[in-house]
Amino acid sequence: MRKDGELPANTAGPAGPTGSWSLVVPLKPLPLAKSRLAGAVGPMLRPRLALAFAQDTVAAALSCPAVRDVVVVTDDPLAAGALSALGAAVVADAPAAGLNAALAYGADAARARRPGAPVAALNADLPALRPAELSRVLGMAGQFPRAFLADAAEIGTTLLSAAPGMELLPAFGGASRLRHLSSGAVEIPPDGVTSVRRDVDTGADLRAALELGVGPHTAELRPLGEPEPEPA
């Protein structure tokens, strides 16, 4: 893990660099992550699911044709190793001042590597994320100086973007949809991008994500007593 915000020279995913976007994905230390899921999945599975969500999110993002690189901001060594193995660049949360400070720091780290890149903050808890839907969102976001996508509950935010030369100005947490609207960011229409909006905080959210179809890291844990997959 790099502690100075400097990204390694190769920050592309396994398929190589394809798009123009740098995505910033924040992740709490795993023992603290996804606390609201404990009642649904138990205290032992909860941190493992938090990591699996992040792995599926990052893997899908790196497979998106619009994305060049993914920067993960985390102080968790297990998560740092797992996500860097997927092809993400990992920086420590040097500000240690909460989610929005971490996102701003990650955006600065991404732009230090590629100053002309558009950047977007993306939640780490999107286990059903589809690369094609993310590409659609980023295509719409690229038409505006700043843009955002509301979560499935239409209260929070799952993605916030900033064009080259624009500050990200993240205001995530709680009712962030209204805060991002008030900050001048344009709201991206929600049609056809369900997987980019389906974040997971509760047992009900997890069930909804499982119905959409989650990535392999989350599916492997069989959350909520999901049965073993049928042999091929």
Side-chain angles (χ1 to χ4, degrees):
M1 184 186 303
R2 294 170 183 257
K3 296 188 178 297
D4 58 2
E6 180 182 354
L7 302 187
N10 178 16
T11 59
T18 55
S20 60
W21 286 87
S22 290
L23 302 190
V24 181
V25 177
L27 183 60
K28 288 181 181 179
L30 296 177
L32 304 177
K34 298 289 115 190
S35 59
R36 292 168 61 192
L37 267 181
V41 303
M44 300 300 291
L45 186 56
R46 175 187 53 78
R48 296 175 62 200
L49 275 174
L51 176 56
F53 294 166
Q55 288 173 294
D56 286 331
T57 299
V58 168
L62 287 169
S63 297
C64 174
V67 173
R68 175 66 178 250
D69 47 40
V70 174
V71 178
V72 175
V73 184
T74 187
D75 283 333
D76 190 284
L78 176 62
L83 297 172
S84 63
L86 293 175
V90 179
V91 296
D93 182 8
L99 172 60
N100 291 306
L103 287 170
Y105 180 75
D108 287 345
R111 282 179 165 165
R113 177 77 173 95
R114 294 198 305 122
V119 298
L122 182 71
N123 284 9
D125 59 350
L126 301 170
L129 183 63
R130 304 289 192 268
E133 292 186 11
L134 177 59
S135 185
R136 191 176 306 136
V137 170
L138 293 172
M140 290 185 280
Q143 301 175 42
F144 306 101
R146 291 174 63 247
F148 74 96
L149 182 69
D151 63 11
E154 300 186 349
I155 296 172
T157 303
T158 58
L159 181 142
L160 173 70
S161 69
M166 296 295 298
E167 291 293 324
L168 188 61
L169 302 178
F172 284 78
S176 61
R177 176 177 179 245
L178 290 179
R179 289 197 296 274
H180 287 134
L181 272 174
S182 297
S183 75
V186 174
E187 184 166 6
I188 295 168
D191 299 335
V193 292
T194 303
S195 75
V196 196
R197 304 179 67 210
R198 181 68 279 166
D199 56 346
V200 176
D201 289 313
T202 66
D205 296 339
L206 181 53
R207 282 187 287 274
L210 290 167
E211 289 176 4
L212 282 177
V214 296
H217 296 93
T218 302
E220 183 180 11
L221 295 178
R222 299 189 302 280
L224 300 180
E226 291 297 298
E228 290 270 10
E230 292 285 337

